[in-house]
């Protein structure tokens, strides 16, 4: 087994071992932090560590899992922290951007998810801007989910055939 392939399982075993040790221990102040978000954090940190120590493949999943775990902890303690779908999309965007920093791939995905996160997080503000414009512009804005679906369909079904030569 190569050194990079031992990082993830080693950290998982240590992290889960500590998790179960603290669950059985008499240390009361740590008990509230031993919920399922801790398992997300342990797994996410293991993926991140392996991703940065090796080829970068675990960075996206590590960022998402770590971010989700942190989100479920801080949502109750930070009044300014948004409990919105946009936060999860933002964590995915951050994962792609960190992956791009290490591997050079994922920039388009990161920017795309970052734009989606901004729309989701600031939806009310954006729609109020359109509300200042004509009613027709606001009516068009209500169809943005269909624009996303059409763009995704284009990327999946049409773009791959553009520029490829036929074998016949």
């Amino acid at each position: 087994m190569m050194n990079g392939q031992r990082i993830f399982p080693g950290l998982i075993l240590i992290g889960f071992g500590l998790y179960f040790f603290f669950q059985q221990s008499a240390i009361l102040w740590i008990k509230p932090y031993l919920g399922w978000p801790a398992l997300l954090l342990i797994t996410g940190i293991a993926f991140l560590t392996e991703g940065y120590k090796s080829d970068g493949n675990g960075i996206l999943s590590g960022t998402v899992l770590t971010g989700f775990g942190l989100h479920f902890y801080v949502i109750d303690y930070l009044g300014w922290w948004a409990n919105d779908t946009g936060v999860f999309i933002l964590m995915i965007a951050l994962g792609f951007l960190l992956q791009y920093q290490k591997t050079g791939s994922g920039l388009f995905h990161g920017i795309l998810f970052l734009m989606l996160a901004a729309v989701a997080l600031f939806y009310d503000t954006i729609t109020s801007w359109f509300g200042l414009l004509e009613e027709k512009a606001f009516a068009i804005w209500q169809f943005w989910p269909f624009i996303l679906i059409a763009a995704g369909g284009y990327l999946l079904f049409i773009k791959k055939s553009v520029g490829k030569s036929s074998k016949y």
Side-chain angles (χ1 to χ4, degrees):
M1 216 183 238
M2 293 176 44
N3 188 30
Q5 294 174 331
R6 295 188 324 217
I7 293 172
F8 180 77
L11 287 175
I12 288 291
L13 290 172
I14 290 170
F16 279 40
L18 286 170
Y19 175 85
F20 292 121
F21 170 76
F22 285 127
Q23 269 193 334
Q24 296 175 356
S25 74
I27 304 171
L28 296 178
W29 65 269
I30 205 163
K31 298 271 185 192
Y33 303 106
L34 293 177
W36 60 270
L39 298 175
L40 290 176
L41 280 170
I42 292 166
T43 308
I45 290 169
F47 271 118
L48 275 172
T49 304
E50 180 181 6
Y52 275 107
K53 295 279 185 185
S54 63
D55 59 0
N57 281 335
I59 293 175
L60 174 61
S61 53
T63 303
V64 170
L65 289 171
T66 302
F68 284 13
L70 284 173
H71 170 77
F72 291 114
Y73 277 124
V74 301
I75 193 65
D76 294 329
Y77 301 106
L78 300 177
W80 54 268
W81 191 269
N83 191 14
D84 188 87
T85 306
V87 173
F88 298 109
I89 297 170
L90 181 63
M91 291 182 199
I92 295 168
L94 180 61
F96 274 116
L97 293 173
L98 290 174
Q99 177 182 307
Y100 171 73
Q101 182 184 23
K102 170 78 175 174
T103 66
S105 67
L107 181 62
F108 173 75
H109 303 87
I111 292 172
L112 178 67
F113 277 102
L114 191 60
M115 291 186 319
L116 288 173
V119 169
L121 286 170
F122 302 109
Y123 185 78
D124 292 336
T125 304
I126 293 170
T127 54
S128 71
W129 292 343
F130 281 110
L132 296 175
L133 301 173
E134 296 179 26
E135 287 295 320
K136 290 181 182 179
F138 182 70
I140 292 170
W141 176 248
Q142 292 176 337
F143 292 104
W144 80 275
F146 298 109
I147 295 169
L148 293 176
I149 293 168
Y154 172 78
L155 289 174
L156 280 175
F157 303 113
I158 297 172
K159 178 138 175 140
K160 68 179 177 180
S161 64
V162 174
K164 287 191 175 184
S165 61
S166 176
K167 290 184 179 181
Y168 302 110

